[in-house]
Amino acid sequence: MRTKRLVPAGVTALALAGGGGTALAVNGAAPPVAAGGTAGETVGKTAGGQARETAAGRASAPPAASRAAGPRVVRPYQPVEIGRGAKMGLLPEGRQNYVVAREDYAGSVERAKGYAGDSIRPESLSGGLHTEGDDALYTGAFRTGTVPARVTLRIDGGAEVEAGMLRLPGAPGWGTYHAFGDASAAADTGFTVTAYAEDGGVLFEQRFGAPPAD
């Protein structure tokens, strides 16, 4: 699985800028992932939670039962199957610290225990892109005083999907999101992540530019 640093491309006026990077462990590697950004372009939103296919690529959503239900609460270090052979786990050590792994999940967790984690500011999020074969896995952490009821990810060109979400028990003040797409579309395409409150209002929104070329 290959992980790329993403370029934040602006936040709406509803969001505060973030900074730093989430410590991810992807099959043992732990590259930083860009987060937040400075106030910049306003990003449009598309209502609804249905996955839509466009020329920009196809993305897949979690089962309908998980939509608009808020994050799934998981135990620290619990390996959560998020699809296509990938596992995600949240760590209590550090700040917004989580791992994504297809192999050697236990080893990835042990290595991640020593990471500082994320330094994103309140009401902001981080973003990461992991590719393997035809799969593109988008992940990130959110940090907010209000737990999002739902998070969507829209790939440039129009495809919007409902992202899965995880958080630790209690009130940790953060959680993670994840969604799959096509690696061919992700290679040169940015995306926008939007977090919604229970009443449907936007908590914050962040656009990430296309990954830099290798």
Side-chain angles (χ1 to χ4, degrees):
M1 187 183 294
R2 301 173 61 193
T3 300
K4 286 182 178 275
R5 176 187 297 273
L6 301 182
V7 179
V11 294
T12 69
L14 296 173
L16 297 179
T22 302
L24 296 181
V26 184
N27 291 347
V33 178
T38 58
E41 66 181 287
T42 298
V43 182
K45 299 182 290 299
T46 302
Q50 297 296 320
R52 295 184 289 117
E53 294 186 14
T54 71
R58 185 176 65 256
S60 60
S66 68
R67 296 179 180 175
R72 173 184 171 185
V73 178
V74 299
R75 301 184 306 275
Y77 318 118
Q78 178 182 343
V80 180
E81 298 280 354
I82 59 174
R84 307 188 191 184
K87 298 182 180 68
M88 176 178 280
L90 280 60
L91 284 69
E93 295 89 356
R95 301 179 301 277
Q96 300 93 53
N97 199 359
Y98 68 97
V99 301
V100 178
R102 291 186 184 272
E103 299 176 358
D104 191 22
Y105 173 82
S108 296
V109 167
E110 288 304 311
R111 287 184 286 274
K113 287 180 179 180
Y115 302 156
D118 213 328
S119 60
I120 58 176
R121 299 175 183 174
E123 313 308 320
S124 63
L125 53 83
S126 62
L129 171 61
H130 324 278
T131 58
E132 182 170 333
D134 295 332
D135 290 338
L137 172 57
Y138 299 87
T139 71
F142 58 83
R143 182 185 175 194
T144 177
T146 301
V147 178
R150 55 191 289 257
V151 168
T152 64
L153 184 144
R154 188 176 72 254
I155 299 171
D156 287 359
E160 182 182 54
V161 298
E162 202 82 17
M165 294 188 291
L166 305 176
R167 71 174 177 88
L168 294 173
W174 70 281
T176 62
Y177 67 87
H178 56 275
F180 283 94
D182 287 343
S184 59
D188 56 1
T189 307
F191 63 95
T192 299
V193 181
T194 307
Y196 296 89
E198 288 187 5
D199 63 3
V202 175
L203 293 174
F204 53 89
E205 189 170 70
Q206 172 71 56
R207 181 180 181 275
F208 294 91
D214 291 335

